[in-house]
Short mmCIF file of all heavy atoms in Angstrom, two decimals:
data_model
loop_
_atom_site.label_atom_id
_atom_site.label_comp_id
_atom_site.label_asym_id
_atom_site.label_seq_id
_atom_site.Cartn_x
_atom_site.Cartn_y
_atom_site.Cartn_z
N GLY A 769 9.34 -40.64 -127.33
CA GLY A 769 9.87 -41.44 -126.35
C GLY A 769 8.80 -41.81 -125.35
O GLY A 769 9.07 -42.40 -124.28
N GLY A 770 7.59 -41.62 -125.69
CA GLY A 770 6.41 -41.84 -124.80
C GLY A 770 5.85 -40.66 -123.99
O GLY A 770 6.54 -39.53 -124.01
N VAL A 771 4.71 -40.81 -123.40
CA VAL A 771 4.12 -39.69 -122.62
C VAL A 771 3.61 -40.18 -121.34
O VAL A 771 3.23 -41.33 -121.13
CB VAL A 771 2.99 -38.96 -123.51
CG1 VAL A 771 3.56 -38.51 -124.89
CG2 VAL A 771 1.78 -39.89 -123.63
N LEU A 772 3.30 -39.19 -120.37
CA LEU A 772 2.44 -39.43 -119.22
C LEU A 772 1.20 -38.64 -119.42
O LEU A 772 1.36 -37.44 -119.69
CB LEU A 772 3.24 -39.00 -118.01
CG LEU A 772 2.62 -39.37 -116.71
CD1 LEU A 772 3.71 -39.58 -115.56
CD2 LEU A 772 1.73 -38.24 -116.18
N TRP A 773 0.11 -39.24 -119.24
CA TRP A 773 -1.16 -38.48 -119.53
C TRP A 773 -2.09 -38.45 -118.15
O TRP A 773 -1.86 -39.28 -117.17
CB TRP A 773 -1.91 -39.19 -120.66
CG TRP A 773 -2.17 -40.69 -120.46
CD1 TRP A 773 -1.38 -41.63 -121.08
CD2 TRP A 773 -3.19 -41.37 -119.84
NE1 TRP A 773 -1.81 -42.94 -120.79
CE2 TRP A 773 -2.96 -42.76 -119.89
CE3 TRP A 773 -4.21 -40.82 -118.94
CZ2 TRP A 773 -3.86 -43.77 -119.42
CZ3 TRP A 773 -5.12 -41.83 -118.47
CH2 TRP A 773 -4.82 -43.25 -118.61
N GLU A 774 -2.95 -37.63 -118.28
CA GLU A 774 -4.01 -37.39 -117.24
C GLU A 774 -5.40 -37.42 -117.83
O GLU A 774 -5.62 -36.98 -118.87
CB GLU A 774 -3.74 -36.06 -116.56
CG GLU A 774 -4.89 -35.67 -115.53
CD GLU A 774 -4.77 -34.18 -115.12
OE1 GLU A 774 -3.83 -33.92 -114.21
OE2 GLU A 774 -5.34 -33.28 -115.79
N TYR A 775 -6.35 -38.06 -117.07
CA TYR A 775 -7.70 -38.04 -117.56
C TYR A 775 -8.67 -37.56 -116.39
O TYR A 775 -8.68 -38.22 -115.47
CB TYR A 775 -8.16 -39.44 -118.12
CG TYR A 775 -9.57 -39.47 -118.62
CD1 TYR A 775 -9.83 -38.82 -119.83
CD2 TYR A 775 -10.60 -40.03 -117.96
CE1 TYR A 775 -11.16 -38.82 -120.33
CE2 TYR A 775 -11.88 -40.06 -118.43
CZ TYR A 775 -12.16 -39.49 -119.69
OH TYR A 775 -13.44 -39.51 -120.18
N ASP A 776 -9.41 -36.57 -116.70
CA ASP A 776 -10.36 -36.02 -115.84
C ASP A 776 -11.67 -36.84 -115.92
O ASP A 776 -12.35 -36.52 -116.89
CB ASP A 776 -10.57 -34.50 -115.89
CG ASP A 776 -11.37 -33.89 -114.80
OD1 ASP A 776 -12.28 -34.50 -114.33
OD2 ASP A 776 -10.91 -32.81 -114.29
N ILE A 777 -11.98 -37.66 -114.93
CA ILE A 777 -13.17 -38.41 -115.06
C ILE A 777 -14.41 -37.66 -115.07
O ILE A 777 -15.31 -37.86 -115.80
CB ILE A 777 -13.25 -39.41 -113.76
CG1 ILE A 777 -11.95 -40.26 -113.82
CG2 ILE A 777 -14.47 -40.33 -113.91
CD1 ILE A 777 -11.88 -41.13 -112.55
N ILE A 778 -14.54 -36.52 -114.25
CA ILE A 778 -15.76 -35.73 -114.14
C ILE A 778 -15.99 -34.99 -115.48
O ILE A 778 -17.06 -34.91 -115.99
CB ILE A 778 -15.68 -34.83 -112.96
CG1 ILE A 778 -15.60 -35.66 -111.69
CG2 ILE A 778 -16.87 -33.90 -112.94
CD1 ILE A 778 -15.47 -34.76 -110.43
N LEU A 779 -14.98 -34.35 -115.92
CA LEU A 779 -15.08 -33.41 -117.08
C LEU A 779 -14.91 -34.26 -118.35
O LEU A 779 -15.19 -33.72 -119.49
CB LEU A 779 -14.04 -32.29 -117.07
CG LEU A 779 -14.14 -31.36 -115.82
CD1 LEU A 779 -13.09 -30.38 -115.82
CD2 LEU A 779 -15.59 -30.79 -115.90
N GLY A 780 -14.27 -35.45 -118.35
CA GLY A 780 -14.16 -36.25 -119.51
C GLY A 780 -12.98 -35.61 -120.46
O GLY A 780 -13.08 -35.76 -121.65
N ILE A 781 -11.93 -35.10 -119.76
CA ILE A 781 -10.90 -34.42 -120.54
C ILE A 781 -9.54 -35.23 -120.42
O ILE A 781 -9.12 -35.49 -119.22
CB ILE A 781 -10.68 -32.97 -119.92
CG1 ILE A 781 -11.92 -32.21 -120.25
CG2 ILE A 781 -9.53 -32.32 -120.66
CD1 ILE A 781 -11.84 -30.76 -119.68
N PHE A 782 -8.92 -35.50 -121.64
CA PHE A 782 -7.68 -36.13 -121.66
C PHE A 782 -6.67 -35.12 -121.82
O PHE A 782 -6.74 -34.27 -122.66
CB PHE A 782 -7.66 -37.14 -122.74
CG PHE A 782 -6.36 -37.88 -122.89
CD1 PHE A 782 -6.03 -39.10 -122.41
CD2 PHE A 782 -5.40 -37.20 -123.75
CE1 PHE A 782 -4.78 -39.65 -122.49
CE2 PHE A 782 -4.15 -37.83 -124.00
CZ PHE A 782 -3.83 -39.01 -123.31
N THR A 783 -5.51 -35.16 -121.05
CA THR A 783 -4.45 -34.17 -121.23
C THR A 783 -3.11 -34.92 -121.19
O THR A 783 -2.86 -35.60 -120.34
CB THR A 783 -4.45 -33.16 -120.09
OG1 THR A 783 -5.76 -32.49 -120.04
CG2 THR A 783 -3.45 -31.96 -120.27
N LYS A 784 -2.25 -34.61 -122.18
CA LYS A 784 -0.96 -35.02 -122.16
C LYS A 784 -0.14 -34.19 -121.18
O LYS A 784 -0.05 -33.02 -121.35
CB LYS A 784 -0.28 -35.05 -123.63
CG LYS A 784 1.16 -35.56 -123.50
CD LYS A 784 1.78 -35.27 -124.96
CE LYS A 784 2.09 -33.83 -125.24
NZ LYS A 784 2.77 -33.64 -126.49
N LYS A 785 0.55 -34.81 -120.17
CA LYS A 785 1.18 -33.95 -119.17
C LYS A 785 2.62 -33.84 -119.28
O LYS A 785 3.20 -32.86 -119.04
CB LYS A 785 0.86 -34.55 -117.75
CG LYS A 785 -0.61 -34.64 -117.46
CD LYS A 785 -1.28 -33.24 -117.41
CE LYS A 785 -0.78 -32.41 -116.16
NZ LYS A 785 -1.64 -31.09 -116.26
N GLN A 786 3.37 -35.03 -119.78
CA GLN A 786 4.68 -35.03 -119.84
C GLN A 786 5.15 -35.78 -121.15
O GLN A 786 4.54 -36.74 -121.49
CB GLN A 786 5.36 -35.70 -118.73
CG GLN A 786 5.26 -34.92 -117.32
CD GLN A 786 6.20 -33.79 -117.27
OE1 GLN A 786 7.35 -33.78 -117.84
NE2 GLN A 786 5.74 -32.73 -116.64
N ASP A 787 6.29 -35.25 -121.75
CA ASP A 787 6.87 -35.85 -122.91
C ASP A 787 8.16 -36.50 -122.47
O ASP A 787 9.12 -35.75 -122.06
CB ASP A 787 7.16 -34.99 -124.08
CG ASP A 787 5.83 -34.46 -124.66
OD1 ASP A 787 5.28 -35.17 -125.43
OD2 ASP A 787 5.34 -33.40 -124.33
N PHE A 788 8.40 -37.78 -122.58
CA PHE A 788 9.64 -38.38 -122.16
C PHE A 788 10.63 -38.08 -123.34
O PHE A 788 10.30 -38.30 -124.41
CB PHE A 788 9.47 -39.88 -121.98
CG PHE A 788 8.70 -40.21 -120.79
CD1 PHE A 788 7.41 -40.43 -120.79
CD2 PHE A 788 9.30 -40.23 -119.51
CE1 PHE A 788 6.49 -40.84 -119.65
CE2 PHE A 788 8.53 -40.53 -118.30
CZ PHE A 788 7.23 -40.72 -118.36
N ASP A 789 11.79 -37.65 -122.91
CA ASP A 789 12.77 -37.08 -123.97
C ASP A 789 14.08 -37.87 -124.04
O ASP A 789 15.06 -37.50 -124.75
CB ASP A 789 13.02 -35.66 -123.57
CG ASP A 789 13.73 -35.46 -122.25
OD1 ASP A 789 14.00 -36.55 -121.57
OD2 ASP A 789 13.96 -34.41 -121.79
N GLY A 790 14.29 -39.02 -123.32
CA GLY A 790 15.49 -39.73 -123.32
C GLY A 790 16.42 -39.44 -122.21
O GLY A 790 16.24 -40.06 -121.17
N THR A 791 17.27 -38.52 -122.33
CA THR A 791 18.32 -38.32 -121.26
C THR A 791 17.77 -37.66 -119.92
O THR A 791 18.01 -38.16 -118.92
CB THR A 791 19.38 -37.28 -121.80
OG1 THR A 791 20.05 -37.93 -123.00
CG2 THR A 791 20.52 -37.07 -120.77
N ASN A 792 16.93 -36.71 -120.09
CA ASN A 792 16.45 -35.98 -118.92
C ASN A 792 15.34 -36.71 -118.13
O ASN A 792 15.42 -36.82 -116.86
CB ASN A 792 15.99 -34.60 -119.28
CG ASN A 792 17.08 -33.80 -119.78
OD1 ASN A 792 18.18 -33.71 -119.36
ND2 ASN A 792 16.81 -33.09 -120.87
N LYS A 793 14.39 -37.33 -118.81
CA LYS A 793 13.30 -37.97 -118.25
C LYS A 793 13.16 -39.44 -118.52
O LYS A 793 12.38 -40.01 -117.91
CB LYS A 793 11.93 -37.21 -118.65
CG LYS A 793 11.89 -35.74 -118.39
CD LYS A 793 10.65 -35.12 -118.91
CE LYS A 793 10.61 -33.56 -118.65
NZ LYS A 793 9.48 -32.93 -119.21
N GLY A 794 14.09 -39.88 -119.28
CA GLY A 794 13.97 -41.30 -119.66
C GLY A 794 13.07 -41.49 -121.01
O GLY A 794 12.50 -40.48 -121.50
N SER A 795 12.99 -42.64 -121.51
CA SER A 795 12.18 -43.01 -122.70
C SER A 795 11.62 -44.38 -122.51
O SER A 795 12.19 -45.25 -121.82
CB SER A 795 12.90 -42.76 -123.92
OG SER A 795 14.01 -43.61 -124.02
N LEU A 796 10.60 -44.66 -123.36
CA LEU A 796 9.92 -45.91 -123.25
C LEU A 796 9.37 -46.30 -121.91
O LEU A 796 9.90 -47.23 -121.27
CB LEU A 796 10.77 -47.02 -123.83
CG LEU A 796 10.09 -48.45 -124.11
CD1 LEU A 796 9.00 -48.25 -125.18
CD2 LEU A 796 11.12 -49.43 -124.65
#
């Protein structure tokens, strides 16, 4: 259903923070 992500510019680290699930958080 899509994701919300974070990128640390200094450390160069990409992290997936949230998974959209449909009913609870929405999707797309």
